Amino acid sequence: MASTFNTPAAPGDDGKGVSALERDTLLMHSSGRPGKIEIVPTKPLATQRDLSLAYSPGVAFPCLHIARDPSLAYDYTAKGNLVAVISNGTAVLGLGDLGALAGKPVMEGKAVLFKRFADVDSIDLEVDTRDVEEFIGAVRYLGPSFGGINLEDIKAPECFIIEQRLRELMPIPVFHDDQHGTAIISAAGLINALELTGREMSKVKVVVNGAGAAGIACIELAKSMGVRHENVILCDTKGVIFQGRTEGMNQWKSAHAVPTKARTLAEALDGADVFYGLSVKGAVTAEMVASMAPRPIIFAMANPDPEITPEEVKSVRADAIVATGRSDYPNQINNVLGFPYIFRGALDVRASTINDAMKIAAARAIAALAREDVPDEVDAAYSGRRLRYGPDYIIPVPFDPRLISSIPPAVAKAAMDSGVARKPIIDMGAYKRELAARLDPASASMEAITEAVKANPKRVVFAEGEEEKQIRAAVAFSNAGLGHPILIGREERIRATMKNIGLPAAESLEIINSRLSPRTAHYTEMLYQRMQRKGALLRDAQRLVNQERNIFGALMVQAGDADAMVTGLTRNYWQAFEEIQKVIDPKPGELMFGMTVFIAKGRVVFVADTTVMETPTPEHLADIAVQTAHKARQMGHEPRVAMISYSTFGNPSNDRAERVREAVEILDHRKVDFVYDGEMGADVALDPELLGHYPFCRLKEPANVLVMPGLYSATIGSKLLQKLGGASVIGPILVGMSKPVQITSMDASANDIVNMAVLACYDALK
């Protein structure tokens, strides 16, 4: 039977000769709210008072303050985080002169990338003129509206004139990304390619094919970084640009003409070390590559198809390092690695321009990041491909979350050092932490905890020490100065894994084989004392100590030979928890349960119990409320506790809701030091408007601690929120154990493991 569900056609799509990619793209752009951007207010506008503050009459006050001191516009308006993406559509992607209107989807996309990667607000402006003076006149008066101008898809040589004039006329950064973005990312790749091949900037011979905006910008930046003028040959469609050539020349090409006998690209490439391609598909042949110097560096960046494919290069030069502009090959020269973060840094110091020092700083920061170990989240975004510094990984990938805390600080510092910053950053460390928090709100919640752990480093057991993720987490934990990691496992296997994944031998790592440890006999006796009246023989305790790393690690912590422990990769949560309970008891007078922290839309919510207690009694619910409120305070949040039920204050009335009501009564008798109420639905607990329907409720603001009525609802709701709600998640955090132990999920990344180790250490401080 044929399906009755059909994919709707997008406007303008007649279905004839349309690829799946084209159809999907058209539907994506046309479905729901057309386009890719919208304007969202950042202040509440729910009441008449809100309107009076945001608009008339209250808005007059910031206007008057700005009139007296124009710099206050950065404090009272969005100017300081707002970039205009401006184009006339004369060089749209690789499509040519499509005009301003047809270029709008690209400009909207650029605005989305600003927001996605650097939390920079952006709006696209399409200027419908091909006249240089008209374009400059249309843009030059926009300075009061924006903190920066990103010029896009403007053809050469007009783009050179436009950018230069606007930089002279406007007191804010003006940046033509087609020129400088490509130049910066390719320069970062060049830094690492030269290092890998043992070359120096001042000695390499470079050939650039393509004398448009990007090609000339690449040459100029490379020369600023140390490549010698006489060692660069620029080619265009008519061949080599040599001194004395007159055909097809302009002032920008002439600036890079050199005395040479080469007249064709093939002749120029003979013996060359580096090739930059910013031209067209097929411009370079295998024979040309074969004529290059040993270990050639080939950046074939034509869009959408490179001058020569990596496969063609490797067929004649296995020693080559190759980069392209495509995401389906290693070493993608992608401008998104640059412009969002360059503007982020420039905006944050209120730079008057983006100069060469800032561009070079960005290139060096990008290059340095590629030499660091890559987080699991990045591997996952790239189909689990192991990304490791070398010929196939000289440039970070676009979804590396570390970009935002690496590039903007370098750009900001260069702006300050070169004298173009109008608001210098005093505490660069705090600035880096703030940047990380912009896109990962969980990092902000972890900040104070992490700093406390750094100040009081502890010995932490990574129980599943032979697992690659735990090894990488332990190395990262040590490198960050968080404490002393102890890996449980066989040393030869751990060292072999480290070698295979490209991690340097870390002297700070302690490796313990449970079978060989001199403490094994003592731990066996400890465990036997706990289990001998629970049906266990001495040999059972010996077997568990020798074979179960969770038990060995827990015994280390219980004996005081380590301060904390993290596990969970090779056992499901319940199995790991059961093993740890054989060794470690709850804190006297406390329950053991799981608490998960969700961060979304600027809010932090603690949810319990998400892992342990299937059907808590009213007393249990009250205990969970008290302990979770305490944890919330430890993490810097004043608790507002909602006792959650499907019933809200008796509606509907049911026996199951009675348990929650009794828990509230128990809290009443305990006279706790935090605000709480219930029973109530989760929607009421989190929505201030719904809370307003219950004026008697003790919660006057939305709850930030949700005590769930049972494990079923807690686990299902938490996992739904995690997978569908777009929230950042910390945990589940194990609460109530007498010794600090945390259990990760089996799919935890190395970064997740580090976070859980930090939380375990934080418990050890208490």
Side-chain angles (χ1 to χ4, degrees):
M1 181 177 175
S3 172
T4 58
F5 296 95
N6 296 307
T7 302
D13 174 12
D14 60 8
K16 297 177 181 178
V18 176
S19 69
L21 176 61
E22 181 177 349
R23 178 172 288 111
D24 290 346
T25 303
L26 293 174
L27 282 171
M28 181 269 214
H29 281 75
S30 63
S31 61
R33 187 190 296 263
K36 299 188 286 286
I37 61 175
E38 65 175 330
I39 303 297
V40 178
T42 60
K43 300 296 188 292
L45 298 171
T47 67
Q48 181 61 41
R49 174 172 169 75
D50 292 338
L51 292 176
S52 70
L53 296 174
Y55 196 54
S56 182
V59 74
F61 297 111
C63 292
L64 293 171
H65 280 273
I66 293 169
R68 289 192 291 268
D69 180 359
S71 69
L72 292 175
Y74 287 90
D75 299 296
Y76 293 136
T77 76
K79 174 183 171 70
N81 195 53
L82 188 60
V83 168
V85 177
I86 305 181
S87 178
N88 62 1
T90 53
V92 178
L93 292 177
L95 304 173
D97 186 351
L98 298 183
L101 185 59
K104 184 173 174 61
V106 177
M107 305 315 131
E108 283 191 0
K110 197 68 176 278
V112 170
L113 295 178
F114 267 114
K115 188 66 176 177
R116 164 63 182 82
F117 288 101
D119 193 27
V120 173
D121 295 319
S122 180
I123 190 166
D124 62 297
L125 299 173
E126 289 71 40
V127 181
D128 193 14
T129 181
R130 291 170 175 78
D131 182 274
V132 168
E133 293 303 322
E134 288 180 350
F135 188 94
I136 292 170
V139 176
R140 64 176 294 188
Y141 298 111
L142 297 175
S145 298
F146 300 99
I149 302 292
N150 184 101
L151 299 174
E152 190 77 15
D153 290 356
I154 303 168
K155 71 182 182 72
E158 290 90 334
C159 63
F160 302 124
I161 302 169
I162 288 170
E163 186 193 44
Q164 183 58 40
R165 290 275 304 283
L166 289 174
R167 288 183 65 183
E168 294 169 356
L169 292 167
M170 303 183 77
I172 57 175
V174 177
F175 184 85
H176 185 208
D177 186 49
D178 299 310
Q179 293 180 59
H180 309 299
T182 303
I184 290 165
I185 312 310
S186 60
L190 182 63
I191 291 169
N192 285 338
L194 292 178
E195 180 187 82
L196 290 168
T197 58
R199 292 178 167 102
E200 297 177 15
M201 284 272 187
S202 61
K203 296 179 180 179
V204 291
K205 179 183 175 183
V206 180
V207 175
V208 179
N209 193 48
I216 288 176
C218 284
I219 290 178
E220 291 178 345
L221 187 60
K223 289 180 179 178
S224 296
M225 296 177 68
V227 175
R228 296 173 67 87
H229 169 78
E230 61 269 24
N231 288 350
V232 180
I233 296 179
L234 174 63
C235 302
D236 64 7
T237 56
K238 300 184 185 303
V240 171
I241 294 172
F242 56 90
Q243 283 187 357
R245 186 181 123 173
T246 57
E247 185 182 9
M249 295 294 287
N250 58 42
Q251 67 189 74
W252 297 279
K253 294 181 183 180
S254 296
H256 301 288
V258 293
T260 177
K261 293 180 180 179
R263 292 296 181 266
T264 66
L265 176 60
E267 292 172 352
L269 281 172
D270 188 12
D273 299 294
V274 179
F275 170 72
Y276 271 25
L278 299 125
S279 52
V280 294
K281 175 184 178 181
V284 175
T285 65
E287 291 75 20
M288 294 179 192
V289 171
S291 73
M292 294 179 70
R295 302 196 74 183
I297 298 165
I298 299 169
F299 289 2
M301 298 177 279
N303 189 9
D305 297 304
E307 286 81 0
I308 185 169
T309 66
E311 295 92 341
E312 292 172 310
V313 171
K314 296 296 183 181
S315 70
V316 292
R317 296 300 297 268
D319 60 341
I321 293 178
V322 185
T324 71
R326 289 175 51 152
S327 60
D328 53 346
Y329 289 121
N331 298 327
Q332 184 189 16
I333 307 293
N334 190 330
N335 285 17
V336 79
L337 294 171
F339 70 85
Y341 310 109
I342 292 165
F343 269 99
R344 178 77 276 154
L347 291 171
D348 290 339
V349 293
R350 299 182 188 174
S352 58
T353 188
I354 295 173
N355 57 25
D356 279 352
M358 296 159 74
K359 297 172 198 172
I360 292 170
R364 288 175 175 161
I366 294 167
L369 186 59
R371 296 192 289 270
E372 296 182 12
D373 184 41
V374 179
D376 293 333
E377 294 88 343
V378 179
D379 287 336
Y382 290 86
S383 303
R385 178 165 62 95
R386 287 293 299 131
L387 302 170
R388 185 171 57 197
Y389 181 55
D392 287 334
Y393 181 67
I394 59 173
I395 304 166
V397 287
F399 287 98
D400 192 323
R402 300 169 299 170
L403 288 162
I404 192 168
S405 55
S406 300
I407 304 171
V411 173
K413 185 177 186 303
M416 292 187 288
D417 292 344
S418 60
V420 299
R422 291 176 289 199
K423 185 186 178 185
I425 293 169
I426 306 301
D427 186 342
M428 194 59 71
Y431 176 54
K432 290 179 181 180
R433 295 190 291 271
E434 176 191 323
L435 288 168
R438 292 189 86 109
L439 297 186
D440 181 9
S443 66
S445 291
M446 289 291 292
E447 179 57 35
I449 293 173
T450 301
E451 291 303 309
V453 169
K454 279 185 178 180
N456 300 274
K458 301 295 182 183
R459 290 168 53 83
V460 182
V461 173
F462 290 76
E464 298 149 312
E466 293 180 6
E467 296 298 313
E468 178 185 327
K469 287 181 182 178
Q470 281 233 336
I471 295 170
R472 293 177 60 235
V475 171
F477 185 84
S478 175
N479 290 344
L482 294 166
H484 178 77
I486 304 166
L487 292 169
I488 307 300
R490 289 162 289 188
E491 182 164 6
E492 65 277 7
R493 289 209 174 187
I494 293 171
R495 297 294 182 194
T497 299
M498 292 177 70
K499 183 177 180 181
N500 289 338
I501 63 178
L503 285 177
E507 298 301 324
S508 60
L509 291 183
E510 182 179 347
I511 300 173
I512 295 178
N513 185 326
S514 58
R515 290 180 180 272
L516 304 178
S517 170
R519 298 285 285 164
T520 297
H522 175 63
Y523 295 157
T524 300
E525 182 60 28
M526 284 177 60
L527 185 62
Y528 183 52
Q529 290 293 326
R530 289 179 60 85
M531 297 179 63
Q532 61 189 0
R533 294 184 179 274
K534 298 179 182 179
L537 301 175
L538 178 61
R539 64 171 176 263
D540 297 322
Q542 289 173 328
R543 176 181 55 80
L544 290 172
V545 172
N546 284 331
Q547 297 181 9
E548 297 298 337
R549 292 171 188 168
N550 284 337
I551 286 179
F552 188 90
L555 284 162
M556 286 189 70
V557 176
Q558 182 67 26
D561 295 333
D563 300 301
M565 170 178 155
V566 63
T567 188
L569 283 179
T570 61
R571 298 280 195 279
N572 68 44
Y573 196 98
W574 280 90
Q575 286 176 306
F577 183 53
E578 190 173 290
E579 290 174 349
I580 292 163
Q581 282 185 295
K582 286 182 168 66
V583 178
I584 300 175
D585 293 324
K587 288 180 183 177
E590 292 195 9
L591 294 176
M592 287 196 291
F593 63 90
M595 176 190 79
T596 303
V597 186
F598 294 92
I599 303 105
K601 297 181 179 178
R603 295 170 65 175
V604 179
V605 178
F606 301 82
V607 180
D609 168 20
T610 54
T611 57
V612 178
M613 304 199 67
E614 184 173 338
T615 308
T617 66
E619 290 78 10
H620 289 154
L621 289 172
D623 290 341
I624 290 169
V626 171
Q627 290 176 234
T628 308
H630 177 66
K631 278 290 178 185
R633 279 201 176 116
Q634 281 187 351
M635 296 181 73
H637 298 268
E638 185 58 31
R640 300 183 299 276
V641 178
M643 310 299 287
I644 299 300
S645 172
Y646 73 92
S647 171
T648 299
F649 298 119
N651 185 15
S653 179
N654 188 280
D655 290 343
R656 292 191 178 185
E658 185 63 32
R659 284 189 305 114
V660 182
R661 285 194 290 273
E662 288 181 22
V664 174
E665 292 172 3
I666 291 169
L667 290 174
D668 291 342
H669 285 95
R670 292 188 185 181
K671 301 187 186 309
V672 295
D673 62 349
F674 55 85
V675 63
Y676 62 91
D677 214 336
E679 83 281 10
M680 66 178 70
D683 55 343
V684 175
L686 297 172
D687 188 328
E689 186 173 343
L690 290 176
L691 268 177
H693 293 298
Y694 305 94
F696 55 85
C697 180
R698 286 174 277 201
L699 296 179
K700 302 308 177 186
E701 297 179 63
N704 59 2
V705 174
L706 306 183
V707 176
M708 305 298 280
L711 188 58
Y712 291 123
S713 56
T715 303
I716 292 170
S718 294
K719 290 183 177 180
L720 279 171
L721 182 59
Q722 183 173 349
K723 295 299 181 183
L724 298 178
S728 297
V729 180
I730 301 173
I733 300 167
L734 192 55
V735 177
M737 298 205 78
S738 60
K739 297 289 183 178
V741 176
Q742 292 299 335
I743 304 171
T744 70
S745 62
M746 294 177 70
D747 63 349
S749 68
N751 189 58
D752 294 330
I753 297 168
V754 170
N755 282 339
M756 296 302 278
V758 167
L759 289 168
C761 288
Y762 192 65
D763 279 344
L765 300 178
K766 303 304 175 186

